[in-house]
Amino acid sequence: MAQTNSHMSTVTNDNLDQFVAHPTIQEHPSEQSSTISRNSLVQDAGALTLNDVVLEAYCEATGPKLNEQPSKDTPSLHALQSWTTLNPDRKRTMRESIGILGLFAIVGGTVACIASLAFLIFLWTGRGSSPGAIDAPNSWRAIVLNGWVAQATTLATLLIRTATAAQATVCTAMLASLFLERRHVSKSDVAQFSVLRAVNDGPLKLIWLVLRSKPFLRMFCAETALVFLLATSTFTLQFASTILFSDLRESKIAANMAPFSVNDYIAGDVNTLFGTDIGNQPPTNAVFGELPSNASSDPDSKGFSTTGTKKRAFLPLREPDNRTAIHSYKGNAVTLSSNIACMRPIVEATYRGVEMVTSRPDDLSYFGVINGTLRYGESLREANSVTDLCDSDGCSVAEFNCSIPGGYDFLPGWRSLLCVVDAVGGNFRPESLGMGWNSTIEPWSNNSMVNLLFYTNMYTTDWNASRNSQSLEVAPTTGVGEWNSYEIQPDRFVNVTLCFSSFHANLVSVDMVATGDLVEPLGNWSAIGVSDSSNVRKYLGVSEKNSTPADRGILTIMDIKEPEKLSPIQPVEDGVYPWANHTLAEWATSEFEDGLSSILSYTGIEGVTTFQACAICDYDGAPRNPEIAALVEDTINDTGRAADGLQAYTTALANTFYNEFLKAFTGSEEVQITFTKTVQMAAACQESGCKGLASVAAILAIHLLCVALTMYAYVRLTHYSRQGNTWHVISQLMAPELETILEKGNDLDDDTLGEDSKKEGKDILVTLERTESGRINIVRSFKGSK
């Protein structure tokens, strides 16, 4: 030992550099050993310590000659022993074993992933349950309305991909450390396992090393499962944006409310209004708003049936695309209030079959006519105990002369016709103020229309057999709901009901909102006599009971107020003018009501009061467009309710006439409208669940679980690895067991070197351990997994 100590008396700077890189010298005490005191340097002459062995081996190789003098840079014995003193029991900190960047990738990446996923969940579910997402958070609405959903999704997934990729590289280094320290790897692969602890681009290289291990089952362990899960999750998350885009659909949400100019009155002086034959036009099934009502038209035990008052507001918008794109509307609008009440009539009448005047000699056609007296005051008293139409002189009566339809054998079924008999009080419209029925009173008040509605399965051939005049009272009669059913011939019936029909149009300020998608259904009447009015009847609310405005595709009236005085005021000129101090918009509404009254009550044919209400039949009366006629007929066929049929008939004609009247409006007012906007959003969540988001969330959860398990195992089970550090990787490879392969590998590729080792039978299993000398080296493996 004296000789060894004398050799250590001087060390040059150059030799110090060699000393640091020499394979037998331990790491710097700041990283592995603690500094010892000067007293610890004094050793027993007969005891050979570990440091003595290391220093003796170093001095024999590089120590100075005995006659050399120490330089000023030669380290002292104290410094050298401090450098090589070992403290294998000291627990490394996470900062030492994983590194600052590694910890940042693990912790910061996890925070970034969770934050990105939370943002995606917000983006996917922020719509909420409110119609049109009107109550969704402002930030969500800003992203969606500006069309930033795809960009926001891409940025969020980019952050996830970046964070998970960084975590994958750190976890690959930790897993490579676990393989080296706890398992056995081939000698030809140990350098690659070791280098992965310092530098790698993800788990794919590690997977390749595991898969090519012979036998593979030797590497089948918990670390292997973590490697495969980590690689699968990291790879799949690179397609996160593509997976999420599968949830995106085009959908409609409400934009922000804004002022909108609408034309709702006629500007300038008007002397005459010219109309068109609205009844013969296809109906305009424009979107309208309706005040919710729970009224039912089901008849009571006496056969009294009423629709209750229906309030429907028409939109002053001519373009269908604008009407169907509305989410909410606030402002002036024309509102139609209507009520229909039907009951069994008390009549004294005769009927007979007559030949159509337009029949060809070789194709004669027949229909029925009926005339007599309708005691509508007495009918109302009997059906509803109402005596409003009776006085000391008796009850109100009216003479009538109506047609009864004749159907065709080749098109079996029931046919209907509408006959306008009279108006309560004798006038359909008052002559003074131009105002009609008041919706706050009953539908049989003054100016209400008195109608008879016929519904029969008589064919033209049946009417040919009944050409002799007969009294209706002698026919067998049965009360069916609001109908009196007369059996004219065996299994041939004529059903008759009395209906009071009232309506009033006025200008009001309404607040309407869409609770679903708005629709404007189209009738499909064709020249071959085929039609289906089911969509239109659903939209008008006469086909399905308890259907909501959302189901029907219409607006819901939330509030009705007095109209805003926005249009010019009518001045008083040359005395008293009925519409003085009213706006031009209110005057236009009155003209609309007057025109609708004429459409509903005036046939245009002298002495004829019957209107077509059957799609294909023979009759004598004013024609209606087949789609409008089929609307009444199909409603009665479907529900049996005459009141519903007339309510649909009135609304369809009013809607068509209003949208025709809009063409004359040139004066504008400002209203507040919220239009819907077609945007890209996660609408698939409402259809089939958020499958894309759920998939990404599940994959990300698996990835983060792999990261957590890998980090836990690395911290608990490894002792000799420092993630991301290069020099210790190189140093630990400089072991006696690898001396030969290091020499051969100087100018050979990995595959050639591995094949040579296998041919020579030297491709043994190795592991990473601390040797008896205290140095951490790759050593031959003689036992199972640790």
Side-chain angles (χ1 to χ4, degrees), residues 306-347:
T306 180
T307 62
T309 299
K310 301 291 186 182
K311 289 184 178 291
R312 289 163 172 165
F314 302 125
L315 296 170
L317 301 171
R318 291 184 57 184
E319 296 298 327
D321 290 344
N322 284 343
R323 294 193 295 260
T324 56
I326 283 183
H327 173 74
S328 64
Y329 178 100
K330 290 184 179 181
N332 288 344
V334 173
T335 301
L336 179 74
S337 302
S338 60
N339 194 351
I340 312 292
C342 296
M343 61 212 71
R344 301 168 192 167
I346 298 175
V347 296

mmCIF file of all heavy atoms in Angstrom, residues 306-347:
data_model
loop_
_atom_site.group_PDB
_atom_site.id
_atom_site.type_symbol
_atom_site.label_atom_id
_atom_site.label_comp_id
_atom_site.label_asym_id
_atom_site.label_seq_id
_atom_site.Cartn_x
_atom_site.Cartn_y
_atom_site.Cartn_z
ATOM 1 N N THR A 306 -116.123 22.170 -30.563
ATOM 2 C CA THR A 306 -115.524 23.469 -30.858
ATOM 3 C C THR A 306 -114.002 23.385 -30.798
ATOM 4 O O THR A 306 -113.442 22.624 -30.005
ATOM 5 C CB THR A 306 -116.020 24.548 -29.867
ATOM 6 O OG1 THR A 306 -115.414 25.808 -30.191
ATOM 7 C CG2 THR A 306 -115.677 24.183 -28.441
ATOM 8 N N THR A 307 -113.369 24.156 -31.637
ATOM 9 C CA THR A 307 -111.903 24.172 -31.658
ATOM 10 C C THR A 307 -111.332 25.090 -30.598
ATOM 11 O O THR A 307 -110.139 25.002 -30.271
ATOM 12 C CB THR A 307 -111.383 24.653 -33.028
ATOM 13 O OG1 THR A 307 -111.822 25.998 -33.250
ATOM 14 C CG2 THR A 307 -111.894 23.758 -34.139
ATOM 15 N N GLY A 308 -112.167 25.972 -30.045
ATOM 16 C CA GLY A 308 -111.638 27.017 -29.191
ATOM 17 C C GLY A 308 -110.961 28.079 -30.057
ATOM 18 O O GLY A 308 -110.746 27.887 -31.260
ATOM 19 N N THR A 309 -110.624 29.184 -29.444
ATOM 20 C CA THR A 309 -110.009 30.277 -30.197
ATOM 21 C C THR A 309 -108.562 29.937 -30.531
ATOM 22 O O THR A 309 -107.768 29.595 -29.648
ATOM 23 C CB THR A 309 -110.051 31.584 -29.398
ATOM 24 O OG1 THR A 309 -111.407 31.929 -29.132
ATOM 25 C CG2 THR A 309 -109.379 32.711 -30.170
ATOM 26 N N LYS A 310 -108.237 30.014 -31.803
ATOM 27 C CA LYS A 310 -106.872 29.789 -32.274
ATOM 28 C C LYS A 310 -106.300 31.131 -32.705
ATOM 29 O O LYS A 310 -106.905 31.839 -33.518
ATOM 30 C CB LYS A 310 -106.854 28.823 -33.460
ATOM 31 C CG LYS A 310 -107.450 27.458 -33.175
ATOM 32 C CD LYS A 310 -106.596 26.648 -32.218
ATOM 33 C CE LYS A 310 -107.131 25.237 -32.049
ATOM 34 N NZ LYS A 310 -106.339 24.445 -31.084
ATOM 35 N N LYS A 311 -105.136 31.457 -32.153
ATOM 36 C CA LYS A 311 -104.458 32.696 -32.535
ATOM 37 C C LYS A 311 -103.197 32.334 -33.305
ATOM 38 O O LYS A 311 -102.308 31.654 -32.762
ATOM 39 C CB LYS A 311 -104.115 33.534 -31.308
ATOM 40 C CG LYS A 311 -105.328 34.160 -30.629
ATOM 41 C CD LYS A 311 -104.915 35.068 -29.485
ATOM 42 C CE LYS A 311 -106.131 35.731 -28.841
ATOM 43 N NZ LYS A 311 -106.769 36.715 -29.731
ATOM 44 N N ARG A 312 -103.123 32.819 -34.535
ATOM 45 C CA ARG A 312 -101.992 32.505 -35.405
ATOM 46 C C ARG A 312 -101.461 33.782 -36.032
ATOM 47 O O ARG A 312 -102.224 34.551 -36.610
ATOM 48 C CB ARG A 312 -102.427 31.508 -36.486
ATOM 49 C CG ARG A 312 -102.668 30.129 -35.898
ATOM 50 C CD ARG A 312 -103.464 29.207 -36.751
ATOM 51 N NE ARG A 312 -103.494 27.853 -36.192
ATOM 52 C CZ ARG A 312 -104.333 26.908 -36.561
ATOM 53 N NH1 ARG A 312 -105.230 27.148 -37.501
ATOM 54 N NH2 ARG A 312 -104.276 25.711 -36.001
ATOM 55 N N ALA A 313 -100.151 33.988 -35.882
ATOM 56 C CA ALA A 313 -99.503 35.206 -36.383
ATOM 57 C C ALA A 313 -98.729 34.884 -37.655
ATOM 58 O O ALA A 313 -97.961 33.906 -37.690
ATOM 59 C CB ALA A 313 -98.568 35.781 -35.324
ATOM 60 N N PHE A 314 -98.918 35.712 -38.687
ATOM 61 C CA PHE A 314 -98.237 35.518 -39.961
ATOM 62 C C PHE A 314 -96.991 36.399 -40.028
ATOM 63 O O PHE A 314 -96.998 37.549 -39.568
ATOM 64 C CB PHE A 314 -99.169 35.846 -41.124
ATOM 65 C CG PHE A 314 -100.428 35.016 -41.131
ATOM 66 C CD1 PHE A 314 -101.675 35.611 -41.152
ATOM 67 C CD2 PHE A 314 -100.346 33.631 -41.101
ATOM 68 C CE1 PHE A 314 -102.827 34.848 -41.150
ATOM 69 C CE2 PHE A 314 -101.495 32.855 -41.110
ATOM 70 C CZ PHE A 314 -102.744 33.463 -41.130
ATOM 71 N N LEU A 315 -95.940 35.856 -40.606
ATOM 72 C CA LEU A 315 -94.666 36.571 -40.704
ATOM 73 C C LEU A 315 -94.662 37.477 -41.936
ATOM 74 O O LEU A 315 -94.968 37.023 -43.038
ATOM 75 C CB LEU A 315 -93.512 35.580 -40.805
ATOM 76 C CG LEU A 315 -93.282 34.680 -39.590
ATOM 77 C CD1 LEU A 315 -92.270 33.590 -39.922
ATOM 78 C CD2 LEU A 315 -92.812 35.509 -38.402
ATOM 79 N N PRO A 316 -94.289 38.751 -41.772
ATOM 80 C CA PRO A 316 -94.231 39.660 -42.929
ATOM 81 C C PRO A 316 -92.937 39.472 -43.729
ATOM 82 O O PRO A 316 -92.194 40.419 -43.983
ATOM 83 C CB PRO A 316 -94.295 41.044 -42.275
ATOM 84 C CG PRO A 316 -93.665 40.857 -40.937
ATOM 85 C CD PRO A 316 -94.007 39.458 -40.502
ATOM 86 N N LEU A 317 -92.662 38.244 -44.112
ATOM 87 C CA LEU A 317 -91.461 37.902 -44.862
ATOM 88 C C LEU A 317 -91.872 37.127 -46.102
ATOM 89 O O LEU A 317 -92.548 36.099 -45.999
ATOM 90 C CB LEU A 317 -90.505 37.062 -44.010
ATOM 91 C CG LEU A 317 -90.012 37.685 -42.693
ATOM 92 C CD1 LEU A 317 -89.258 36.652 -41.871
ATOM 93 C CD2 LEU A 317 -89.117 38.882 -42.983
ATOM 94 N N ARG A 318 -91.420 37.579 -47.259
ATOM 95 C CA ARG A 318 -91.839 36.932 -48.500
ATOM 96 C C ARG A 318 -90.971 35.736 -48.865
ATOM 97 O O ARG A 318 -91.450 34.819 -49.530
ATOM 98 C CB ARG A 318 -91.817 37.948 -49.652
ATOM 99 C CG ARG A 318 -92.892 39.027 -49.535
ATOM 100 C CD ARG A 318 -92.879 39.945 -50.742
ATOM 101 N NE ARG A 318 -93.057 39.201 -51.982
ATOM 102 C CZ ARG A 318 -93.000 39.746 -53.202
ATOM 103 N NH1 ARG A 318 -92.723 41.042 -53.317
ATOM 104 N NH2 ARG A 318 -93.181 39.015 -54.268
ATOM 105 N N GLU A 319 -89.717 35.745 -48.444
ATOM 106 C CA GLU A 319 -88.814 34.679 -48.837
ATOM 107 C C GLU A 319 -88.969 33.465 -47.917
ATOM 108 O O GLU A 319 -88.836 33.586 -46.700
ATOM 109 C CB GLU A 319 -87.368 35.164 -48.795
ATOM 110 C CG GLU A 319 -87.046 36.259 -49.785
ATOM 111 C CD GLU A 319 -87.231 35.795 -51.216
ATOM 112 O OE1 GLU A 319 -86.998 34.597 -51.489
ATOM 113 O OE2 GLU A 319 -87.614 36.623 -52.055
ATOM 114 N N PRO A 320 -89.252 32.290 -48.492
ATOM 115 C CA PRO A 320 -89.386 31.086 -47.655
ATOM 116 C C PRO A 320 -88.130 30.799 -46.837
ATOM 117 O O PRO A 320 -88.229 30.349 -45.687
ATOM 118 C CB PRO A 320 -89.659 29.980 -48.678
ATOM 119 C CG PRO A 320 -90.239 30.680 -49.868
ATOM 120 C CD PRO A 320 -89.559 32.012 -49.904
ATOM 121 N N ASP A 321 -86.947 31.039 -47.416
ATOM 122 C CA ASP A 321 -85.705 30.766 -46.690
ATOM 123 C C ASP A 321 -85.596 31.626 -45.445
ATOM 124 O O ASP A 321 -85.045 31.175 -44.416
ATOM 125 C CB ASP A 321 -84.491 30.996 -47.591
ATOM 126 C CG ASP A 321 -84.369 29.939 -48.676
ATOM 127 O OD1 ASP A 321 -85.025 28.883 -48.540
ATOM 128 O OD2 ASP A 321 -83.638 30.172 -49.650
ATOM 129 N N ASN A 322 -86.082 32.852 -45.506
ATOM 130 C CA ASN A 322 -86.064 33.722 -44.325
ATOM 131 C C ASN A 322 -87.043 33.220 -43.267
ATOM 132 O O ASN A 322 -86.752 33.266 -42.071
ATOM 133 C CB ASN A 322 -86.402 35.157 -44.711
ATOM 134 C CG ASN A 322 -85.249 35.872 -45.383
ATOM 135 O OD1 ASN A 322 -84.101 35.428 -45.301
ATOM 136 N ND2 ASN A 322 -85.527 36.964 -46.062
ATOM 137 N N ARG A 323 -88.209 32.778 -43.719
ATOM 138 C CA ARG A 323 -89.217 32.322 -42.756
ATOM 139 C C ARG A 323 -88.756 31.073 -42.009
ATOM 140 O O ARG A 323 -88.921 30.968 -40.793
ATOM 141 C CB ARG A 323 -90.546 32.047 -43.472
ATOM 142 C CG ARG A 323 -91.214 33.275 -44.070
ATOM 143 C CD ARG A 323 -92.645 32.990 -44.472
ATOM 144 N NE ARG A 323 -92.737 32.013 -45.546
ATOM 145 C CZ ARG A 323 -92.921 32.290 -46.831
ATOM 146 N NH1 ARG A 323 -93.003 33.569 -47.205
ATOM 147 N NH2 ARG A 323 -93.032 31.347 -47.733
ATOM 148 N N THR A 324 -88.192 30.120 -42.730
ATOM 149 C CA THR A 324 -87.782 28.868 -42.082
ATOM 150 C C THR A 324 -86.484 29.022 -41.292
ATOM 151 O O THR A 324 -86.112 28.119 -40.542
ATOM 152 C CB THR A 324 -87.606 27.757 -43.127
ATOM 153 O OG1 THR A 324 -86.671 28.180 -44.131
ATOM 154 C CG2 THR A 324 -88.937 27.418 -43.777
ATOM 155 N N ALA A 325 -85.791 30.153 -41.461
ATOM 156 C CA ALA A 325 -84.525 30.368 -40.744
ATOM 157 C C ALA A 325 -84.716 31.178 -39.470
ATOM 158 O O ALA A 325 -83.743 31.536 -38.815
ATOM 159 C CB ALA A 325 -83.518 31.078 -41.647
ATOM 160 N N ILE A 326 -85.958 31.450 -39.092
ATOM 161 C CA ILE A 326 -86.208 32.275 -37.900
ATOM 162 C C ILE A 326 -86.137 31.413 -36.646
ATOM 163 O O ILE A 326 -86.677 30.304 -36.598
ATOM 164 C CB ILE A 326 -87.589 32.951 -38.001
ATOM 165 C CG1 ILE A 326 -87.518 34.132 -38.966
ATOM 166 C CG2 ILE A 326 -88.065 33.424 -36.646
ATOM 167 C CD1 ILE A 326 -88.806 34.901 -39.082
ATOM 168 N N HIS A 327 -85.464 31.955 -35.657
ATOM 169 C CA HIS A 327 -85.507 31.335 -34.329
ATOM 170 C C HIS A 327 -86.440 32.115 -33.403
ATOM 171 O O HIS A 327 -87.197 31.521 -32.642
ATOM 172 C CB HIS A 327 -84.122 31.266 -33.711
ATOM 173 C CG HIS A 327 -84.161 30.799 -32.288
ATOM 174 N ND1 HIS A 327 -84.405 29.484 -31.947
ATOM 175 C CD2 HIS A 327 -84.031 31.472 -31.104
ATOM 176 C CE1 HIS A 327 -84.406 29.358 -30.637
ATOM 177 N NE2 HIS A 327 -84.186 30.545 -30.097
ATOM 178 N N SER A 328 -86.373 33.421 -33.460
ATOM 179 C CA SER A 328 -87.282 34.229 -32.652
ATOM 180 C C SER A 328 -87.642 35.497 -33.405
ATOM 181 O O SER A 328 -86.873 35.981 -34.242
ATOM 182 C CB SER A 328 -86.659 34.577 -31.292
ATOM 183 O OG SER A 328 -85.514 35.388 -31.459
ATOM 184 N N TYR A 329 -88.823 36.007 -33.091
ATOM 185 C CA TYR A 329 -89.358 37.193 -33.771
ATOM 186 C C TYR A 329 -90.027 38.072 -32.720
ATOM 187 O O TYR A 329 -90.860 37.595 -31.936
ATOM 188 C CB TYR A 329 -90.362 36.760 -34.843
ATOM 189 C CG TYR A 329 -91.028 37.893 -35.592
ATOM 190 C CD1 TYR A 329 -90.592 38.263 -36.861
ATOM 191 C CD2 TYR A 329 -92.116 38.579 -35.045
ATOM 192 C CE1 TYR A 329 -91.223 39.296 -37.556
ATOM 193 C CE2 TYR A 329 -92.729 39.616 -35.737
ATOM 194 C CZ TYR A 329 -92.279 39.975 -36.988
ATOM 195 O OH TYR A 329 -92.892 40.992 -37.682
ATOM 196 N N LYS A 330 -89.656 39.352 -32.710
ATOM 197 C CA LYS A 330 -90.290 40.325 -31.826
ATOM 198 C C LYS A 330 -90.649 41.556 -32.640
ATOM 199 O O LYS A 330 -89.768 42.197 -33.222
ATOM 200 C CB LYS A 330 -89.345 40.713 -30.683
ATOM 201 C CG LYS A 330 -89.101 39.618 -29.665
ATOM 202 C CD LYS A 330 -88.225 40.112 -28.520
ATOM 203 C CE LYS A 330 -88.001 39.016 -27.482
ATOM 204 N NZ LYS A 330 -87.175 39.488 -26.348
ATOM 205 N N GLY A 331 -91.945 41.864 -32.657
ATOM 206 C CA GLY A 331 -92.376 43.032 -33.406
ATOM 207 C C GLY A 331 -93.812 42.883 -33.878
ATOM 208 O O GLY A 331 -94.522 41.937 -33.505
ATOM 209 N N ASN A 332 -94.249 43.827 -34.693
ATOM 210 C CA ASN A 332 -95.621 43.814 -35.202
ATOM 211 C C ASN A 332 -95.836 42.668 -36.179
ATOM 212 O O ASN A 332 -94.946 42.341 -36.977
ATOM 213 C CB ASN A 332 -95.946 45.138 -35.882
ATOM 214 C CG ASN A 332 -96.098 46.281 -34.887
ATOM 215 O OD1 ASN A 332 -96.246 46.042 -33.685
ATOM 216 N ND2 ASN A 332 -96.065 47.511 -35.369
ATOM 217 N N ALA A 333 -97.018 42.086 -36.125
ATOM 218 C CA ALA A 333 -97.389 41.030 -37.057
ATOM 219 C C ALA A 333 -98.910 40.945 -37.110
ATOM 220 O O ALA A 333 -99.598 41.255 -36.127
ATOM 221 C CB ALA A 333 -96.799 39.681 -36.658
ATOM 222 N N VAL A 334 -99.427 40.518 -38.256
ATOM 223 C CA VAL A 334 -100.869 40.309 -38.406
ATOM 224 C C VAL A 334 -101.230 38.981 -37.756
ATOM 225 O O VAL A 334 -100.645 37.942 -38.074
ATOM 226 C CB VAL A 334 -101.272 40.307 -39.889
ATOM 227 C CG1 VAL A 334 -102.740 39.910 -40.049
ATOM 228 C CG2 VAL A 334 -101.027 41.682 -40.495
ATOM 229 N N THR A 335 -102.192 39.025 -36.845
ATOM 230 C CA THR A 335 -102.628 37.826 -36.135
ATOM 231 C C THR A 335 -104.070 37.511 -36.498
ATOM 232 O O THR A 335 -104.942 38.388 -36.466
ATOM 233 C CB THR A 335 -102.516 38.023 -34.614
ATOM 234 O OG1 THR A 335 -101.155 38.307 -34.284
ATOM 235 C CG2 THR A 335 -102.955 36.770 -33.873
ATOM 236 N N LEU A 336 -104.305 36.242 -36.847
ATOM 237 C CA LEU A 336 -105.652 35.782 -37.176
ATOM 238 C C LEU A 336 -106.188 34.988 -35.995
ATOM 239 O O LEU A 336 -105.607 33.980 -35.598
ATOM 240 C CB LEU A 336 -105.631 34.904 -38.428
ATOM 241 C CG LEU A 336 -106.984 34.331 -38.855
ATOM 242 C CD1 LEU A 336 -107.844 35.429 -39.478
ATOM 243 C CD2 LEU A 336 -106.812 33.180 -39.834
ATOM 244 N N SER A 337 -107.305 35.465 -35.444
ATOM 245 C CA SER A 337 -107.997 34.733 -34.385
ATOM 246 C C SER A 337 -109.227 34.083 -34.999
ATOM 247 O O SER A 337 -110.006 34.742 -35.682
ATOM 248 C CB SER A 337 -108.420 35.680 -33.250
ATOM 249 O OG SER A 337 -107.296 36.348 -32.713
ATOM 250 N N SER A 338 -109.402 32.801 -34.769
ATOM 251 C CA SER A 338 -110.537 32.095 -35.365
ATOM 252 C C SER A 338 -111.058 31.047 -34.399
ATOM 253 O O SER A 338 -110.334 30.533 -33.553
ATOM 254 C CB SER A 338 -110.134 31.435 -36.683
ATOM 255 O OG SER A 338 -109.092 30.495 -36.479
ATOM 256 N N ASN A 339 -112.359 30.755 -34.562
ATOM 257 C CA ASN A 339 -113.007 29.754 -33.725
ATOM 258 C C ASN A 339 -114.104 29.094 -34.542
ATOM 259 O O ASN A 339 -114.852 29.773 -35.258
ATOM 260 C CB ASN A 339 -113.592 30.403 -32.462
ATOM 261 C CG ASN A 339 -113.970 29.382 -31.410
ATOM 262 O OD1 ASN A 339 -113.954 28.172 -31.659
ATOM 263 N ND2 ASN A 339 -114.314 29.869 -30.216
ATOM 264 N N ILE A 340 -114.193 27.778 -34.454
ATOM 265 C CA ILE A 340 -115.199 27.007 -35.171
ATOM 266 C C ILE A 340 -115.976 26.180 -34.155
ATOM 267 O O ILE A 340 -115.366 25.508 -33.305
ATOM 268 C CB ILE A 340 -114.576 26.061 -36.218
ATOM 269 C CG1 ILE A 340 -113.540 26.797 -37.080
ATOM 270 C CG2 ILE A 340 -115.654 25.418 -37.068
ATOM 271 C CD1 ILE A 340 -114.088 27.838 -37.984
ATOM 272 N N ALA A 341 -117.301 26.237 -34.235
ATOM 273 C CA ALA A 341 -118.155 25.418 -33.374
ATOM 274 C C ALA A 341 -119.153 24.674 -34.251
ATOM 275 O O ALA A 341 -119.849 25.294 -35.071
ATOM 276 C CB ALA A 341 -118.884 26.279 -32.346
ATOM 277 N N CYS A 342 -119.207 23.349 -34.099
ATOM 278 C CA CYS A 342 -120.096 22.523 -34.922
ATOM 279 C C CYS A 342 -121.050 21.730 -34.034
ATOM 280 O O CYS A 342 -120.705 21.361 -32.900
ATOM 281 C CB CYS A 342 -119.290 21.557 -35.790
ATOM 282 S SG CYS A 342 -118.230 22.368 -37.006
ATOM 283 N N MET A 343 -122.247 21.433 -34.569
ATOM 284 C CA MET A 343 -123.280 20.720 -33.816
ATOM 285 C C MET A 343 -124.257 20.078 -34.791
ATOM 286 O O MET A 343 -124.219 20.332 -36.006
ATOM 287 C CB MET A 343 -124.015 21.692 -32.890
ATOM 288 C CG MET A 343 -124.727 22.818 -33.628
ATOM 289 S SD MET A 343 -124.798 24.351 -32.700
ATOM 290 C CE MET A 343 -123.101 24.890 -32.746
ATOM 291 N N ARG A 344 -125.131 19.254 -34.260
ATOM 292 C CA ARG A 344 -126.144 18.623 -35.097
ATOM 293 C C ARG A 344 -127.203 19.663 -35.476
ATOM 294 O O ARG A 344 -127.722 20.366 -34.604
ATOM 295 C CB ARG A 344 -126.794 17.457 -34.362
ATOM 296 C CG ARG A 344 -125.818 16.359 -33.939
ATOM 297 C CD ARG A 344 -126.449 15.384 -32.973
ATOM 298 N NE ARG A 344 -125.449 14.515 -32.364
ATOM 299 C CZ ARG A 344 -125.675 13.738 -31.306
ATOM 300 N NH1 ARG A 344 -126.889 13.739 -30.731
ATOM 301 N NH2 ARG A 344 -124.710 12.975 -30.824
ATOM 302 N N PRO A 345 -127.541 19.744 -36.759
ATOM 303 C CA PRO A 345 -128.482 20.786 -37.199
ATOM 304 C C PRO A 345 -129.948 20.338 -37.086
ATOM 305 O O PRO A 345 -130.257 19.149 -37.140
ATOM 306 C CB PRO A 345 -128.091 20.984 -38.661
ATOM 307 C CG PRO A 345 -127.613 19.632 -39.094
ATOM 308 C CD PRO A 345 -126.960 19.001 -37.903
ATOM 309 N N ILE A 346 -130.781 21.326 -36.899
ATOM 310 C CA ILE A 346 -132.228 21.098 -37.006
ATOM 311 C C ILE A 346 -132.656 21.710 -38.332
ATOM 312 O O ILE A 346 -132.600 22.938 -38.513
ATOM 313 C CB ILE A 346 -132.978 21.744 -35.835
ATOM 314 C CG1 ILE A 346 -132.523 21.116 -34.516
ATOM 315 C CG2 ILE A 346 -134.488 21.600 -36.006
ATOM 316 C CD1 ILE A 346 -133.125 21.770 -33.276
ATOM 317 N N VAL A 347 -133.062 20.864 -39.269
ATOM 318 C CA VAL A 347 -133.389 21.314 -40.626
ATOM 319 C C VAL A 347 -134.716 20.723 -41.068
ATOM 320 O O VAL A 347 -135.149 19.664 -40.582
ATOM 321 C CB VAL A 347 -132.288 20.910 -41.627
ATOM 322 C CG1 VAL A 347 -130.988 21.602 -41.315
ATOM 323 C CG2 VAL A 347 -132.110 19.411 -41.671
#
